[in-house]
Every structure is written in structure tokens, then in C-alpha cells.
Amino acid sequence: MSAARPPRRLTTRRGLLAAAGSAALLATGGCGLLGGSRVSGSNDKVERATIRVGTLPTTEYAPLALAVRRGYFQHEGLQVEIVTATDGSAALSSLIGGDYDVALSSYVPLLTAQGRGAADLRIVADAGAAAPGTAVVMVPADSPVRDPAELAGKVIGVSAIGTVSDLLVKAGLSTRGVAVRDVRLVPISFPNMPAALAQGRLDAALLTEPFITIATREGSARTLFDSAVGPAEGLPLSGYGATARFVQDNPRTLAAFQRGLTRATLESRDRRVVEPLLPDVARISPEVAAETKLVEFHTVPDGAQVQRVADLMHRFGFLDRPLDASSMIAAHP
């Protein structure tokens, strides 16, 4: 995502629970103050009464925001301080460095860090999986390209090299008979992709929501093909990671976080619950939020499904050797 903004914090407080539904409150208070009361130290429910959770301004963040807003973590004796990172790499670096206790990240960097021995990580909760129309390759609206095979020799934008968007492009092209070596992938942030397509600086780009909707509404791009088919159909996209040390040292704290998040995630499967949150969590207008397609919100990580990500990563050279992703999944209450 764009690095234009510094990290922002979100703290739960009981006195502002009723007002938390106001977009004005969120706008004037940075990330806003949602639900709950401030607690410190530890209590009989958890080892640590306050944890820092790094997240990104994406639709996958909505269940976490809902859990804070409705006081579900407070009910578990836990205060969750949300810090919005500039991008996925920054969130993961802060997690490994100890600035965050838990972080929302796409699975690709989490598995890459584990596979390369950069850190010993655990997947503590699932977040979102690809759904139809949520991760597509788009071309400029006036592009002559009508078939994926015509992308050979073209420049394709991805959010960053070595990310889930990079993986989705390679898997999607391979499925359609286009050799990955025949295209040039260039990094560009999702918010800048619609303009880059409209200006002809990219021949194509992998966009996720809400940027698909933004580009379509602006008329700057049209969808060429959906990447969430074939080997990437229903592919897990993101989850919450923590270090193995944090998981080992704070089992009750982690269980409290998982219970609160699970409760909100199950409720988030009702679009009527999620859509009002999107202007705040994804920084979009209500009009764009109304048309944005949602990923499939999941709760408990599925080892077999996450293994699909690891296997695709190995197939396309993200990992030098196979990785047992199921060994990374933490116990879930």
C-alpha cells in the first residue's frame, strides 16, 4: 500500500463505544477510538492485558475493526491497540522486530520469512480468501488486449515483487498458457495502479478490492481475467501472524484475541455488517464501498489450504524448497 501516511493507532475505550459508529469521530481521531475501556498490566484472564496488532487499510481488516468496535476483546479482558502499517512488508518487519505482537499480512511474506529462516512465525488466525472478482488482472480501458495470451512481452504491475499479487499473476498467466518469463513485472502500489493504467504506463496490473471498483468506476481500466480461478480458486490471501515466542509465552492472551476476532469474523460474513466499516478501514467513499466485492472471511486457518499457498510459492520460485505450512498454524480455541 502507499507509504504516504505514518502508522496510526486505534485504542479501545468504553466511553466512546456508542460514538464509534460515527465516521466523523474516526476522521477527526486518526484511526479513531472504538469500544472498550483502557486496562493495563495483566488480569486473571490473560497474561498481557494489552497487545499491539499491526494491520493494513484493506477490506480484510474489517472483522478486526468490528471486534474492537463491539467490545469483543474487552469482554475477553483484553485491550487491542491497532497500528496501521504502511504496507505488508513494514507490518511483518515490525512483527519480527517486536514492535507488534500480532500482525495482519498476506500469507506470501509470512511463509517466505519462515522458509528463509528470517523468523519463527505462527499463523494465529485466518483473515481472507480469494472470492470471484476480488483479485483480477486489468488493462487500460482502451487497450487492444482482449486475450491473456496477448500479454506476452507486456509490462504488468504488481504491488511488490515477492507478494501475493506477484504470485497470483504468475499462477494466472501460467494457467492461461502464458510463460512468466515472457512478461515484465514491475512494482507499483495499489492506489497508483488505476492512474498508471489510464496513462499507459502499464499494459496490465493485478488489482484487488477496493481498487478494482475504483478503476472500473473511473473508467480507467477494464478486467481482462480473474486470477482467483484454477490453482488460485479460493486461495487463502491473508492471515494474522505472531512469533512462536509470543504464542508460547501468552497462550491465554492469544486465545482471548482469537475468540474475539472469531466472533467478529463470523458476523462479518453478513455484508450489511461489513459495508458500513469499509469507508474507515479501507479509506474509500460510501459509494465505492457499496460496490466493493468482499473476500471470503475465514476464522481458523486451514492447514491444507495454507499449504496450497506454500506449494504455489515453491512452484514459482518464491521458496527454494518445499515448506510445511501446517506446522506454522497455532492452536485455536
Side-chain angles (χ1 to χ4, degrees):
M1 306 301 293
S2 171
R5 302 191 183 193
R8 303 183 303 165
R9 296 184 180 179
L10 175 63
T11 308
T12 60
R13 298 177 188 269
R14 181 187 303 274
L16 294 178
L17 177 60
S22 168
L25 173 63
L26 292 170
T28 57
C31 268
L33 301 175
L34 303 179
S37 62
R38 182 177 293 278
V39 290
S40 60
S42 61
N43 55 52
D44 58 353
K45 290 186 176 182
V46 294
E47 297 89 359
R48 300 176 58 181
T50 301
I51 62 171
R52 287 165 57 85
V53 179
T55 189
L56 305 171
T58 65
T59 57
E60 287 101 316
Y61 161 38
L64 179 65
L66 182 67
V68 174
R69 174 170 294 190
R70 293 189 170 178
Y72 294 161
F73 296 124
Q74 179 193 354
H75 177 76
E76 299 289 342
L78 183 65
Q79 175 182 320
V80 171
E81 180 184 3
I82 298 177
V83 185
T84 304
T86 54
D87 55 47
S89 296
L92 186 59
S93 295
S94 294
L95 175 68
I96 295 173
D99 293 329
Y100 301 160
D101 300 304
V102 178
L104 172 65
S105 172
S106 71
Y107 279 120
V108 172
L110 279 172
L111 299 180
T112 299
Q114 185 76 11
R116 295 179 178 176
D120 190 11
L121 301 173
R122 297 293 180 268
I123 300 167
V124 301
D126 208 350
T134 58
V136 305
V137 171
M138 304 188 79
V139 295
D142 59 355
S143 172
V145 174
R146 296 290 173 179
D147 187 277
E150 298 173 34
L151 290 177
K154 304 296 186 181
V155 177
I156 303 177
V158 295
S159 62
I161 303 301
T163 60
V164 69
S165 64
D166 183 357
L167 182 63
L168 287 171
V169 166
K170 290 175 178 175
L173 291 177
S174 178
T175 298
R176 291 164 177 82
V178 180
V180 173
R181 63 177 179 274
D182 291 339
V183 302
R184 182 162 69 92
L185 302 183
V186 297
I188 182 169
S189 66
F190 283 128
N192 292 329
M193 285 183 182
L197 288 168
Q199 296 163 8
R201 292 186 284 121
L202 295 173
D203 297 308
L206 187 286
L207 277 75
T208 59
E209 286 287 32
F211 306 104
I212 299 168
T213 296
I214 292 172
T216 302
R217 285 173 58 89
E218 292 177 348
S220 59
R222 59 178 171 81
T223 297
L224 181 64
F225 67 85
D226 192 336
S227 68
V229 298
E233 182 177 358
L235 192 73
L237 298 178
S238 58
Y240 289 86
T243 64
R245 173 59 64 87
F246 177 83
V247 171
Q248 178 181 338
D249 292 348
N250 302 279
R252 296 196 307 277
T253 303
L254 178 60
F257 173 77
Q258 291 169 321
R259 285 192 295 269
L261 181 60
T262 294
R263 183 177 177 184
T265 301
L266 293 174
E267 293 176 0
S268 295
R269 293 175 179 174
D270 183 345
R271 185 183 179 93
R272 294 170 298 178
V273 173
V274 174
E275 188 176 309
L277 299 173
L278 296 183
D280 301 322
V281 303
R283 304 174 189 172
I284 56 178
S285 69
E287 293 75 20
V288 171
E291 298 178 20
T292 294
K293 298 179 179 65
L294 298 177
V295 298
E296 295 180 3
F297 293 117
H298 290 174
T299 55
V300 182
D302 184 322
Q305 291 300 311
V306 179
Q307 188 63 47
R308 292 175 57 205
V309 182
D311 292 345
L312 280 175
M313 291 172 63
H314 181 241
R315 174 183 171 187
F316 290 104
F318 290 69
L319 295 171
D320 295 332
R321 53 184 178 273
L323 173 68
D324 180 9
S326 62
S327 66
M328 297 175 60
I329 297 178
H332 202 285

